Amino acid sequence: MDWNIAPELISLGGILIILSNATLTKTHSLKREKFFLFALYYSIFAILLNLLSVLTISGASTFLQPLRLTVNSAYFFFYPPLSLIFIFYIVFYIEERVPKEKAHHVNSAIIALLASLVIYLVFPFINLKTGWLFSFSASGEYIRGAANTLPLYFAMFHILVGLSLVIAEHKYLDSYFFKAMLWLPIVALTIIIIQTVLLSVILTGTAMMFALLAIYLNFQTSKISIDSLTQLANRDTFVANIAHLLHSKQNATILVVSLDNFKIVNDTFGQNKGDLFLKRIASTLVEIVPKGQIYRYGGDEFAIVATKGSSPSFIDSVTSRFKEGWKVMGAASRLGASFAVLYLPFNNGLLVDPTSLLDYAIQKAKRQGSGHTIYCDALIVEDIKHKNQLADHLLQSHGESLSLSFQPVFSLETGEVYFVEALLRLESAEFGKVPPSEFIPLAEELGIIGELSRWAFERICQIIGANGETPTISLNFSGLQFSDPTIAPFILETLEHYNIPPHKLNIELTESTLVAAYLEEALVIVKQLITKGIKFHLDDFGTGYSNLSQMASFPFSSIKIDSSLLNLAKTEREKYQFIAGIVGIVKQMGFTTIVEGIENNDQLEFLKQIGCNYGQGYYLGKPLSEEEFTAQILTKKS
């Protein structure tokens, strides 16, 4: 008998290509992903077995009869379940998405598939006695048995079961998967029907290759699941795995590792070396937690998911490793990290998105300083609820809860008020007094910081316009606003509307603005406003990444030295000289110096001695409410 094996050889080549791409990832966390790899390897084995079977049939004089019987019996035993493997992948895919309490269709499909396999396997076992599948004549000729095409009907049954399950559970499936599953069985059935007619052309491998290719293209790469730099699974894969763990109610420990100040590494060594540091950290995490799933969670963040087989003590191993230094090709860095830990399943039936929980926890850990670990517990959930409620309030209140406080800045030489800083405050019956460190970053995150600052700016103009001889008032703007081309016209038009001279308003920008991506655009707007008579101050100097040479190129009139530097000097007196050095250099560069956070007379006298121009702090004057501020002004005027 002549056999056409060309389609089978082409199918083998196609499956090998799929396998080479599918094994690039170091993470196969879901059951169906592991099963997909098994299906690839099994398909290769089955096709090779099929080709060997054809070879033994065609070469009757070359192979001994026992070997021919063994190979062909193995073919009927191992090859037909290929279709079953493909359908089980679909079953696992659907099982991940169907609620457990509504999984009766899935369970019925599994029972039907396994029952058909048991029934089918009876035939290869009894074939040597019955010859129902195949036999060899005395002359060695291959003889098809009465049930020779049974594997094809067996495959048809599996495909119909899979198709029925897809239709029954379609409401739990995304439309992309559902459409693919509607046409794929039709293609496979068509190939199998052709095979029943053209028995000499081997097409079953072709049907399997189409199925595997569809799986790979539609499901394995519907999203790019692998990070190209570290070869770890990416955030999308992490999210899918967490959803599966939640659905199946499995126990798991999740650790997110967020590198601290990784930008400094890139700035110091260059991006290429920075990439090498990321790859080294990725490989180290894989070594520390060999049984865990490691993910590239973000640009400078990693996630570890450990299920059964991994001890929770891996958290200590990971956090301890980041207390050591990292070396890559001659470059060394003490690159620290902050950590967030989440245990699944949630206790007490908490209903919250795990990734939102982890993202919030990692940001909280970063605010507490490098090396801190935050555990996602009920308190964190309450924090998130509070943040969401506050966000709703900010979006809906339209400035009703906002007010201004005013804290003077004094000349340290004369004791007179140099100017007054306006401080934005938020207070409501629901939330009480909300610190600026909480609602200002949230307003920036929500994209409404511009509205808050415009409200504050206009209110200041109203106060100056109503009270005449007020001191100059300074207001802190978010650097984000200076990427908005409408901010300059708004400021100038508001000043004109209330007939306010531009020199009565100062604008403060934080040091972080200096390293923002919109720096050049911001400078254009700043210089435009300076030409109109508005002065700019650099606020919180010493908390960011700027340097003195960079600072000299900016058009600020005053530099406000952050209180954290003075507090450091207060507790370690020998470091007063550090403050003196900064003040001296800033003055030599032509800037007026203002030190924030003066809390006692010792600090005040020291700053006078080193020639600091101006100061601000509770020791000199506490923030005043708008009523207190205007009352003092009116008293002086009278």
Side-chain angles (χ1 to χ4, degrees):
M1 178 179 289
D2 293 327
W3 301 84
N4 186 346
I5 63 171
E8 203 78 344
L9 291 172
I10 294 172
S11 301
L12 179 62
I15 294 174
L16 286 171
I17 292 173
I18 297 172
L19 177 64
S20 66
N21 284 278
T23 53
L24 288 177
T25 175
K26 296 178 182 178
T27 302
H28 293 282
S29 56
L30 300 180
K31 179 169 58 175
R32 64 179 174 84
E33 291 175 341
K34 295 175 182 177
F35 195 82
F36 175 71
L37 283 180
F38 167 73
L40 287 172
Y41 285 113
Y42 191 94
S43 298
I44 293 169
F45 162 73
I47 290 176
L48 290 174
L49 182 61
N50 190 21
L51 293 174
L52 181 60
S53 171
V54 171
L55 188 61
T56 60
I57 292 172
S58 302
S61 60
T62 307
F63 299 96
L64 296 175
Q65 190 74 350
L67 178 60
R68 300 175 74 203
L69 284 170
T70 301
V71 169
N72 283 275
S73 295
Y75 162 80
F76 277 100
F77 189 86
F78 291 107
Y79 197 89
L82 270 177
S83 59
L84 185 65
I85 290 173
F86 164 66
I87 298 302
F88 262 116
Y89 179 92
I90 296 177
V91 170
F92 290 148
Y93 185 92
I94 295 174
E95 183 186 35
E96 292 171 10
R97 287 153 178 79
V98 176
K100 282 194 172 183
E101 62 273 15
K102 298 182 179 180
H104 54 276
H105 287 136
V106 174
N107 296 332
S108 298
I110 292 173
I111 293 171
L113 293 170
L114 292 177
S116 69
L117 176 63
V118 172
I119 294 171
Y120 170 77
L121 289 178
V122 171
F123 288 84
F125 275 117
I126 65 174
N127 181 70
L128 291 180
K129 292 184 177 181
T130 63
W132 287 348
L133 294 174
F134 76 95
S135 61
F136 290 101
S137 66
S139 61
E141 182 182 357
Y142 180 80
I143 302 173
R144 297 180 185 275
N148 186 264
T149 57
L150 179 63
L152 299 178
Y153 296 106
F154 179 65
M156 289 182 188
F157 174 75
H158 294 160
I159 292 172
L160 291 174
V161 169
L163 183 60
S164 300
L165 182 61
V166 168
I167 294 173
E169 306 294 358
H170 71 278
K171 63 181 179 181
Y172 299 111
L173 309 177
D174 60 78
S175 58
Y176 191 76
F177 175 88
F178 181 66
K179 290 176 182 177
M181 284 299 94
L182 285 181
W183 66 258
L184 184 58
I186 296 173
V187 173
L189 281 170
T190 302
I191 293 173
I192 292 172
I193 291 171
I194 294 173
Q195 177 71 94
T196 61
V197 178
L198 303 176
L199 294 175
S200 62
V201 180
I202 304 176
L203 294 173
T204 45
T206 304
M208 195 60 198
M209 187 199 68
F210 268 108
L212 291 169
L213 184 61
I215 291 171
Y216 183 72
L217 294 178
N218 294 330
F219 317 134
Q220 299 298 113
T221 60
S222 58
K223 293 180 179 177
I224 300 174
S225 59
I226 304 304
D227 173 57
S228 58
L229 176 64
T230 61
Q231 293 302 301
L232 297 175
N234 64 12
R235 185 184 177 102
D236 288 334
T237 310
F238 170 82
V239 171
N241 189 22
I242 297 306
H244 170 66
L245 291 172
L246 284 174
H247 174 70
S248 58
K249 298 182 180 180
Q250 293 185 45
N251 293 325
T253 302
I254 303 167
L255 174 67
V256 171
V257 179
S258 181
L259 306 182
D260 293 324
N261 299 325
F262 184 71
K263 182 180 183 298
I264 296 178
V265 173
N266 275 337
D267 291 345
T268 304
F269 302 111
Q271 187 171 344
N272 290 337
K273 281 281 179 67
D275 288 347
L276 292 177
F277 273 104
L278 291 174
K279 293 175 73 173
R280 174 62 56 82
I281 292 169
S283 61
T284 301
L285 293 177
V286 171
E287 292 172 5
I288 295 175
V289 197
K291 294 184 179 180
Q293 304 293 333
I294 318 297
Y295 301 84
R296 179 90 179 272
Y297 189 71
D300 56 1
E301 294 179 329
F302 300 88
I304 302 169
V305 178
T307 52
K308 57 184 179 181
S310 295
S311 169
S313 63
F314 80 85
I315 296 174
D316 293 334
S317 301
V318 172
T319 56
S320 297
R321 178 61 185 86
F322 279 91
K323 295 176 182 178
E324 307 171 19
W326 298 86
K327 292 183 179 180
V328 173
M329 295 182 62
S333 174
R334 292 195 64 82
L335 190 57
S338 302
F339 310 92
V341 178
L342 173 64
Y343 295 109
L344 293 180
F346 292 130
N347 293 325
N348 303 322
L350 295 177
L351 298 176
V352 65
D353 175 42
T355 52
S356 298
L357 201 58
L358 288 165
D359 289 342
Y360 181 86
I362 204 67
Q363 291 305 315
K364 185 173 182 177
K366 281 183 169 296
R367 288 194 296 270
Q368 294 185 4
S370 182
H372 275 81
T373 302
I374 296 294
Y375 287 81
C376 298
D377 53 17
L379 293 177
I380 293 294
V381 175
E382 288 303 314
D383 283 351
I384 293 177
K385 289 180 179 178
H386 172 76
K387 176 186 174 183
N388 292 337
Q389 291 168 351
L390 181 58
D392 290 340
H393 178 79
L394 283 171
L395 291 169
Q396 298 172 15
S397 64
H398 305 293
E400 295 174 1
S401 302
L402 296 176
S403 63
L404 292 173
S405 293
F406 299 86
Q407 187 172 24
V409 174
F410 294 91
S411 167
L412 299 187
E413 182 179 353
T414 67
E416 296 180 350
V417 174
Y418 176 42
F419 66 87
V420 176
E421 181 181 4
L423 306 169
L424 190 61
R425 296 291 184 255
L426 175 64
E427 183 176 4
S428 72
E430 181 181 1
F431 298 100
K433 293 182 178 180
V434 182
S437 59
E438 182 178 348
F439 76 84
I440 295 294
L442 180 56
E444 290 183 337
E445 182 182 328
L446 295 170
I448 60 171
I449 187 63
E451 297 175 27
L452 270 59
S453 295
R454 290 180 186 228
W455 177 91
F457 187 83
E458 185 161 6
R459 182 62 192 139
I460 289 170
C461 289
Q462 292 170 353
I463 292 172
I464 295 175
N467 294 281
E469 294 299 321
T470 60
T472 298
I473 297 179
S474 180
L475 176 65
N476 202 316
F477 271 70
S478 167
L480 291 170
Q481 293 173 259
F482 279 79
S483 61
D484 178 4
T486 67
I487 189 64
F490 164 78
I491 290 172
L492 296 174
E493 289 169 7
T494 305
L495 290 174
E496 183 179 359
H497 176 77
Y498 291 99
N499 197 27
I500 307 298
H503 71 270
K504 298 293 287 185
L505 268 298
N506 295 334
I507 292 176
E508 297 186 7
L509 298 176
T510 58
E511 188 182 350
S512 59
T513 303
L514 298 179
V515 293
Y518 42 78
L519 176 59
E520 293 183 3
E521 293 87 344
L523 279 176
V524 171
I525 297 174
V526 168
K527 291 177 180 177
Q528 177 186 352
L529 293 174
I530 287 175
T531 62
K532 300 296 183 179
I534 297 174
K535 292 183 179 181
F536 280 80
H537 297 171
L538 175 64
D539 193 20
D540 295 341
F541 177 75
T543 61
Y545 301 115
S546 69
N547 54 59
L548 293 175
S549 62
Q550 185 184 46
M551 187 175 67
S553 64
F554 286 84
F556 296 107
S557 61
S558 299
I559 304 297
K560 297 184 74 175
I561 298 173
D562 188 67
S563 60
S564 61
L565 300 181
L566 188 59
N567 291 334
L568 177 66
K570 177 183 67 175
T571 55
E572 301 178 38
R573 190 170 184 81
E574 67 275 7
K575 292 189 178 179
Y576 269 89
Q577 294 304 315
F578 175 63
I579 299 292
I582 290 178
V583 170
I585 292 172
V586 169
K587 290 183 68 177
Q588 288 176 15
M589 295 172 69
F591 298 109
T592 299
T593 56
I594 303 168
V595 174
E596 302 173 301
I598 300 174
E599 297 178 356
N600 55 56
N601 190 63
D602 288 344
Q603 292 176 339
L604 176 62
E605 293 301 320
F606 167 72
L607 292 172
K608 288 181 179 179
Q609 291 173 16
I610 64 175
C612 181
N613 304 112
Y614 302 96
Q616 183 184 33
Y618 271 59
Y619 182 71
L620 300 176
K622 295 180 180 181
L624 304 171
S625 68
E626 182 179 323
E627 293 75 14
E628 292 171 330
F629 175 62
T630 54
Q632 288 191 15
I633 293 172
L634 292 173
T635 300
K636 288 183 179 179
K637 286 172 63 179
S638 63

